[in-house]
Amino acid sequence: MAKSRIDTEAARLKPLAQEVLYRYPLQVKSVDHLATHSNVLYRVVTVDGRQLVLRVGTPESNSRSNIQYEVDWLTAINRDTDLDVVSPIATVAGPYVTDILDPKSGDSRHCVLFTWVPGQPLGEGAGSFAYRLLGRMSAQLQAHGRAWLPEDPGDLRHWNRVYYYGSMDPRVLFNPRYEHIVGKARLAAIKKALPVAEDVVFSSWKEGRRQIVHGDLHEWNAHVVGTRLHAFDFEDVMVATPAQDVSISLYSSRMSGRAEEIKSFFREGFEEFGVWPIEDDRQLDGLHAARQIMLMNYAVRTLPEDESVDYLDKVMPWMEGFVARYG
């Protein structure tokens, strides 16, 4: 059976991952492909039995400076709080981020070694208690983010527009080259949704308190272990408002039949440590629409055509409902 492009890329990068691991104060027993999303992840097992995760970055998925912000904030959270968040591991020389040349592309791959996150993803059928934990984690991380800033935040990502990745995520949705993927009817709905979503983003940004936030805290970036929640994947750390950050946590469940129930549980947990920042349904829906438009653009730009079409088939009913309500 032919290998998938994901398996092929993971196999190609494995020697590079092994080379990176020589820079750490540990003896490696095994290195195996764990997952591929925007980056390639490897499970690392040491001779003394520890499990770790090495993330080999993809140049177009994030900037070098944002990765540095990520590890700096994680280091501060681990130092200042008792929250269960993933911890970056320093090399023998001291840095948390390792830059290594990819011989095929000629690009620099930005790599980080992390502690292992135990438990199972909250998204695998979690109940009310787990969503309360997620709300608590959201509020507690926001509390720390209000008091922390990197030494030089000049190019830290800001959610002050729909396409907040800027030049790293070129806009292609309305490019005629991709019309056969998106389709005219879908394009018409997206064009109606976009100004409404933009207005909500601009209003939320103008009226809300801006601060450091996780930027991607949701069901699949948090694991439940007993009565504790472990958060990871801080790569999208950015400046945003609390409402924008909460909208990301509730985005994945927006199409679920349990959406209102999940929001209620999440809010209960959040309000144990913070003031609920969402003004009304229009704000939450508008922020969800903005995120969906950005992710649709990313899917059309990066996924194989059949996968992109499948993704659009899945998410467009919600977008069409949004347009019916607010367009």
Side-chain angles (χ1 to χ4, degrees):
M1 181 180 294
K3 284 187 174 181
S4 71
R5 62 183 179 85
I6 289 176
D7 291 336
T8 300
E9 180 74 349
R12 184 184 75 79
L13 291 173
K14 186 173 178 179
L16 184 146
Q18 291 169 320
E19 183 179 343
V20 168
L21 290 168
Y22 287 129
R23 306 188 186 191
Y24 291 88
L26 46 86
Q27 291 182 294
V28 175
K29 179 181 179 182
S30 63
V31 181
D32 297 295
H33 178 225
L34 179 63
T36 296
H37 301 294
S38 54
N39 303 294
V40 185
L41 306 177
Y42 296 90
R43 184 201 308 265
V44 178
V45 180
T46 65
V47 171
D48 60 2
R50 285 184 294 160
Q51 291 191 89
L52 307 167
V53 174
L54 178 67
R55 187 182 73 201
V56 177
T58 302
E60 57 270 20
S61 72
N62 210 350
S63 66
R64 175 62 168 76
S65 58
N66 227 71
I67 296 170
Q68 189 64 52
Y69 297 140
E70 171 194 16
V71 298
D72 288 347
W73 192 30
L74 280 169
T75 302
I77 294 168
N78 279 290
R79 180 193 65 223
D80 301 338
T81 78
D82 64 352
L83 294 174
D84 293 312
V85 300
V86 69
S87 180
I89 299 170
T91 64
V92 171
Y96 289 100
V97 185
T98 299
D99 304 307
I100 189 166
L101 186 69
D102 182 341
K104 180 180 179 180
S105 67
D107 295 320
S108 182
R109 295 271 183 168
H110 311 307
C111 307
V112 184
L113 185 65
F114 294 100
T115 52
W116 183 260
V117 179
Q120 297 298 318
L122 190 153
E124 292 184 352
S128 60
F129 178 71
Y131 279 103
R132 289 188 185 96
L133 290 180
L134 188 64
R136 293 173 191 168
M137 177 68 77
S138 174
Q140 289 173 295
L141 285 175
Q142 286 186 15
H144 190 275
R146 281 192 288 274
W148 183 85
L149 268 179
E151 292 183 5
D152 182 14
D155 59 349
L156 188 60
R157 187 173 296 127
H158 288 58
W159 190 2
N160 57 357
R161 52 188 170 173
V162 171
Y163 296 95
Y164 58 75
Y165 280 88
S167 61
M168 293 187 68
D169 187 23
R171 305 178 192 184
V172 302
L173 271 180
F174 304 116
N175 187 324
R177 177 182 174 187
Y178 299 92
E179 186 175 300
H180 68 289
I181 298 176
V182 184
K184 291 183 178 180
R186 288 171 173 165
L187 282 172
I190 296 168
K191 285 179 179 178
K192 289 181 180 179
L194 183 57
V196 181
E198 285 178 334
D199 178 67
V200 172
V201 169
F202 295 155
S203 298
S204 299
W205 180 261
K206 181 179 179 181
E207 298 168 9
R209 170 187 275 180
R210 307 161 197 170
Q211 62 164 93
I212 299 291
V213 301
H214 182 289
D216 204 24
L217 183 67
H218 53 69
E219 293 95 332
W220 300 101
N221 283 339
H223 283 190
V224 181
V225 183
T227 60
R228 302 286 291 184
L229 194 72
H230 296 250
F232 56 98
D233 197 359
F234 283 66
E235 190 182 8
D236 283 340
V237 58
M238 62 181 170
V239 174
T241 69
Q244 290 172 320
D245 189 47
V246 164
S247 76
I248 291 171
S249 295
L250 296 174
Y251 176 81
S252 296
S253 62
R254 75 197 183 289
M255 297 188 295
S256 166
R258 299 178 59 209
E260 286 302 316
E261 178 187 16
I262 288 171
K263 181 171 72 172
S264 176
F265 296 145
F266 181 95
R267 179 171 181 170
E268 286 180 25
F270 189 98
E271 290 184 326
E272 292 181 27
F273 295 93
V275 177
W276 186 241
I278 300 294
E279 295 176 4
D280 52 32
D281 287 344
R282 183 181 184 276
Q283 182 187 38
L284 183 60
D285 289 343
L287 293 172
H288 284 169
R291 184 168 180 81
Q292 181 164 313
I293 290 169
M294 183 183 70
L295 292 177
M296 287 191 296
N297 183 80
Y298 180 80
V300 169
R301 184 173 64 83
T302 64
L303 295 180
E305 185 172 318
D306 58 338
E307 294 180 26
S308 180
V309 170
D310 287 346
Y311 176 75
L312 292 174
D313 286 343
K314 178 182 177 181
V315 301
M316 277 306 298
W318 185 91
M319 182 64 72
E320 290 161 355
F322 175 82
V323 171
R325 289 191 298 275
Y326 304 106

